[in-house]
Amino acid sequence: MVWVLLLLVSQLPLAASSPQRVTGVLQKDACVCKINFSAWDFPVQEFEQLLGLFQQCTESLDELKTQTNLTHFKMPLFSAAIKNITEHLSQFEYINNRGLYNPLNFRLLDYEVGDLGTQIADAHKKQALDASTAQDLNDELSSIRLKVQNMQKYDKFNLLALREHIRKLKNRLESCRTYDKTQLDQCSKVLLSNISSPVVTQLNPYGTSYPFGAWGKESRHGSPELYWVQSLQSSNTYGITLRTYSSFEDFVMSKNHKDISVTSSYTTTYSIQGPGTVLYNESLYYNCYKSPNVCKFDLKTKTFQHIALQDAGHDNKFPYCYYSCYGTTDIDLSVDETGLWAIYATEENYGNIVISKLDSSTLAVVQTWKTKLFKKSVSNAFMVCGVLYATRYLSPKLEEVFYAFDTVTGHDTNTLSVPFEKISSDIQNLHYNPTDQRLYLFNYAYMLAYELTF
């Protein structure tokens, strides 16, 4: 006899819960059958795989949480970095939007070549150039003119190099028209090689309450000895008073000073703006209030003169910068063996430094040189013997002279490395004095002076 057994185990899940039909055989009053329980075995292997996946998901979730928390922590840092980069790029975006990066403007280049030819002829006519020098310049200009004509037809990619050639040629012409031998005889024929440790280190007489300003010594040979301090006492930007000392001893001891009122208000036409101030031939030279003007205040007559520097950036358009910008340092006055200088930048020169030689009596611009050094890439600049030196930030306690532009030859270099010490990160005023060949620094309320070696 054959028996059929129907089994149903309801506790087992899914497939195991369906009935299994088996066939049995009667043996000695017993039903014998074989039943396969493998379908109801617990899925150990699948469970272990599932458990492994669960652990991986848990670990991935924990890692994602950690990354999310880290991102949340770093997001303000990223935002600050992006803001800083954006601010640095805005100056280039501004210049680009104004169409100043238009290197293929051949009409303007033609005009520059023609104008330079007229200037050379005029200088030769007025005997500012000897015949040999004039001929050399004209020969070089003829070569440039031919290159411009060929470039318009065949090669538009070397225009920037040619414009740089024209800039150097113009600077050579300016040098020939400006200097005479007696002015340069007092000057070293080599570049600056060393700056000493500070030989003067003193807190300014107004203390740390007014950390921005300028100081120095009368810069003209033959003028009475006079040490001076000019503090920017309104918003660290504007000044109206000059403090003077008639001797170095009085200056060091902070005694017997004289306060000279330049203007009665911080917001008048002749108020002092920014720290780019020098004292030369008993007159104070500085950037006038909210303008591209250079002002002159005569200490003896108490009278003013002013002149506008054409297209000069002002009111923080082209200040000195490095990691951050130094407020209202757009126009910087400097004095050397050859006289009075203005250091600034213009849109026309792409924000690069422009140097103008000024007549100290009338403030008329005698000659102008254009460099290819972006003004916002340097922390300060000064003139020595017709050479522009520029500095950059190295650390909170160290600055470095790294660039020089020689107005006599028109040549420049950015391979200098002349470090010098300072008190604080920011430097407000840095200028050279030809009477003692010292460098004077106003460094966040402190006044320092250095000896120079050439």
Side-chain angles (χ1 to χ4, degrees):
M1 180 181 295
V2 177
W3 293 81
V4 177
L5 181 63
L6 183 64
L7 296 176
L8 177 64
V9 182
S10 61
Q11 289 84 356
L12 297 178
L14 298 174
S17 65
S18 60
Q20 183 177 158
R21 186 182 296 273
V22 297
T23 303
V25 179
L26 183 62
Q27 294 181 0
K28 298 180 181 181
D29 299 327
C31 180
V32 179
C33 62
K34 292 182 179 181
I35 301 174
N36 183 7
F37 287 97
S38 62
W40 299 331
D41 288 346
F42 185 78
V44 176
Q45 185 175 359
E46 289 82 354
F47 176 78
E48 289 178 347
Q49 291 175 352
L50 183 61
L51 183 61
L53 289 173
F54 175 76
Q55 290 174 342
Q56 290 177 13
C57 288
T58 302
E59 291 172 358
S60 297
L61 183 61
D62 291 341
E63 184 179 354
L64 185 60
K65 286 181 179 179
T66 302
Q67 291 178 352
T68 302
N69 292 335
L70 185 61
T71 301
H72 179 73
F73 170 75
K74 286 190 173 182
M75 189 59 68
L77 301 179
F78 292 152
S79 298
I82 291 172
K83 181 181 178 182
N84 186 42
I85 293 171
T86 301
E87 289 176 351
H88 278 72
L89 290 178
S90 62
Q91 58 208 18
F92 298 102
E93 182 181 9
Y94 173 81
I95 294 175
N96 183 59
N97 291 340
R98 293 294 297 270
L100 295 178
Y101 289 137
N102 182 14
L104 302 183
N105 192 338
F106 287 104
R107 180 173 298 180
L108 178 59
L109 195 60
D110 282 334
Y111 172 79
E112 289 181 5
V113 171
D115 182 61
L116 186 54
T118 302
Q119 292 183 45
I120 293 173
D122 183 62
H124 179 47
K125 184 178 180 181
K126 294 180 179 178
Q127 297 183 341
L129 295 177
D130 57 55
S132 176
T133 302
Q135 185 60 49
D136 289 343
L137 292 173
N138 274 318
D139 289 345
E140 196 166 345
L141 190 63
S142 297
S143 175
I144 291 175
R145 186 178 287 111
L146 182 60
K147 289 179 181 179
V148 172
Q149 292 171 355
N150 291 333
M151 284 172 61
Q152 293 184 61
K153 295 179 181 178
Y154 309 113
D155 181 9
K156 298 184 178 182
F157 297 100
N158 289 320
L159 178 77
L160 291 179
L162 194 57
R163 296 195 76 164
E164 176 64 12
H165 192 172
I166 292 175
R167 182 187 67 83
K168 291 182 177 180
L169 196 59
K170 283 183 178 180
N171 287 336
R172 283 174 55 195
L173 175 61
E174 300 293 351
S175 301
C176 292
R177 294 195 296 192
T178 302
Y179 295 114
D180 59 56
K181 188 175 183 298
T182 56
Q183 287 179 310
L184 299 176
D185 279 346
Q186 346 174 25
C187 293
S188 169
K189 304 304 180 185
V190 295
L191 293 176
L192 178 66
S193 61
N194 185 67
I195 300 176
S196 72
S197 296
V199 294
V200 176
T201 304
Q202 186 166 324
L203 184 65
N204 85 83
Y206 303 99
T208 56
S209 299
Y210 301 108
F212 294 84
W215 86 286
K217 176 178 176 284
E218 163 64 58
S219 300
R220 185 177 183 274
H221 286 285
S223 294
E225 183 179 42
L226 203 64
Y227 288 84
W228 58 273
V229 181
Q230 199 286 299
S231 180
L232 301 176
Q233 298 181 345
S234 176
S235 305
N236 293 328
T237 302
Y238 309 110
I240 58 174
T241 305
L242 180 72
R243 176 165 292 190
T244 62
Y245 302 86
S246 58
S247 69
F248 183 68
E249 180 184 355
D250 286 347
F251 166 75
V252 171
M253 300 300 294
S254 294
K255 65 179 184 179
N256 302 326
H257 68 266
K258 179 181 180 181
D259 285 335
I260 301 172
S261 178
V262 178
T263 61
S264 58
S265 168
Y266 290 105
T267 58
T268 64
T269 302
Y270 293 109
S271 296
I272 300 168
Q273 174 171 295
T277 303
V278 291
L279 184 66
Y280 180 67
N281 195 21
E282 298 182 79
S283 292
L284 192 69
Y285 297 86
Y286 56 92
N287 180 205
C288 311
Y289 177 75
K290 287 190 175 298
S291 73
N293 296 346
V294 172
C295 277
K296 173 185 177 181
F297 175 69
D298 191 309
L299 271 58
K300 294 182 294 184
T301 64
K302 303 298 189 290
T303 56
F304 293 95
Q305 291 175 258
H306 73 275
I307 190 172
L309 295 174
Q310 185 176 1
D311 300 325
H314 60 94
D315 290 293
N316 294 319
K317 188 171 187 178
F318 294 120
Y320 290 126
C321 305
Y322 207 66
Y323 287 112
S324 60
C325 290
Y326 308 141
T328 57
T329 54
D330 304 73
I331 296 174
D332 190 15
L333 283 304
S334 190
V335 173
D336 69 358
E337 288 78 1
T338 68
L340 180 67
W341 298 85
I343 304 168
Y344 56 102
T346 65
E347 287 185 1
E348 187 271 336
N349 197 39
Y350 315 111
N352 295 328
I353 287 180
V354 175
I355 318 163
S356 286
K357 186 76 168 57
L358 303 181
D359 185 311
S360 61
S361 298
T362 65
L363 291 183
V365 175
V366 179
Q367 299 296 343
T368 295
W369 292 258
K370 297 175 182 178
T371 76
K372 55 183 179 181
L373 179 66
F374 192 57
K375 191 168 183 290
K376 284 189 172 183
S377 69
V378 305
S379 56
N380 220 288
F382 57 93
M383 299 294 300
V384 181
C385 285
V387 177
L388 171 79
Y389 291 96
T391 64
R392 63 185 170 194
Y393 174 98
L394 288 184
S395 74
K397 301 296 183 182
L398 204 61
E399 204 81 1
E400 179 187 56
V401 176
F402 75 101
Y403 175 87
F405 174 86
D406 190 342
T407 61
V408 178
T409 64
H411 297 153
D412 62 354
T413 177
N414 59 2
T415 60
L416 295 183
S417 181
V418 186
F420 61 96
E421 302 169 25
K422 57 183 179 178
I423 299 292
S424 176
S425 295
D426 298 345
I427 60 176
Q428 285 75 48
N429 179 283
L430 182 67
H431 69 270
Y432 167 76
N433 191 306
T435 66
D436 56 10
Q437 294 188 320
R438 285 183 173 182
L439 197 61
Y440 288 81
L441 169 66
F442 198 96
N443 183 206
Y444 207 79
Y446 283 87
M447 302 176 294
L448 295 87
Y450 309 83
E451 302 283 358
L452 304 183
T453 304
F454 297 88

